[in-house]
Amino acid sequence: MWNPSKKTRTIASKILFVIFSLTSVFHIFALLQIVPYKYLWGGRLGSVQEMYLMEIISLIANGFFVYCSYLYLRYLNLGLVPFWIRIVFGFISGIFFLNTIGNLVAVTNLETLLATPITAILSVISFTLVPKYENKTS
């Protein structure tokens, strides 16, 4: 079975930490209406109120993803990645896989062209953290 090395997992968790952090900043810009809501959520938002609700949910989710990426790296450095956090990254991978499909059918080209590759990459990188980690010290 495929078992990424500690170095691969370290790089993957650091990449996720950075991307989720930057995505959180993007969602803050959206909440501040620096990014117009018509470009968000596939162009399907009907009002500023809808945007606030969806962006707050997104910001909370991204904060959770940032925290999980940090925890994964911490556990990895201790030589033991618990089962529950691998399940979380399997869930995150699935969310971003579905999000990639949603981005492909977005109303706005910006969402399709910009968000699709990002969510596809997030899905693949998150999946890298799912297999059981075996600390091979010998």
Side-chain angles (χ1 to χ4, degrees):
M1 185 169 126
W2 179 61
N3 191 7
S5 68
K6 182 177 181 178
K7 183 177 180 179
T8 300
R9 291 169 191 260
T10 299
I11 291 168
S13 58
K14 286 180 180 181
I15 289 171
L16 289 176
F17 184 85
V18 169
I19 292 176
F20 290 143
S21 296
L22 292 173
T23 305
S24 295
V25 171
F26 174 81
H27 288 297
I28 290 169
F29 284 167
L31 284 168
L32 296 173
Q33 296 184 31
I34 294 169
V35 178
Y37 77 88
K38 68 180 182 178
Y39 296 116
L40 306 170
W41 289 92
R44 290 179 167 76
L45 295 176
S47 67
V48 173
Q49 291 76 19
E50 260 185 79
M51 179 272 297
Y52 281 127
L53 174 64
M54 298 307 286
E55 287 303 312
I56 287 170
I57 292 169
S58 294
L59 194 54
I60 291 168
N62 269 278
F64 176 72
F65 298 158
V66 168
Y67 182 66
C68 286
S69 300
Y70 164 76
L71 279 181
Y72 192 97
L73 188 58
R74 210 169 122 215
Y75 285 127
L76 188 62
N77 288 333
L78 294 173
L80 174 67
V81 178
F83 178 73
W84 69 268
I85 200 156
R86 293 186 297 116
I87 294 298
V88 167
F89 277 99
F91 178 72
I92 291 170
S93 179
I95 286 173
F96 282 105
F97 175 76
L98 293 174
N99 197 303
T100 301
I101 294 168
N103 289 335
L104 288 171
V105 296
V107 175
T108 63
N109 287 336
L110 179 67
E111 184 111 7
T112 301
L113 297 174
L114 182 64
T116 300
I118 293 170
T119 56
I121 289 167
L122 287 171
S123 179
V124 170
I125 293 173
S126 296
F127 188 73
T128 301
L129 303 179
V130 174
K132 182 178 180 181
Y133 174 67
E134 296 174 10
N135 188 7
K136 297 176 184 172
T137 55
S138 52

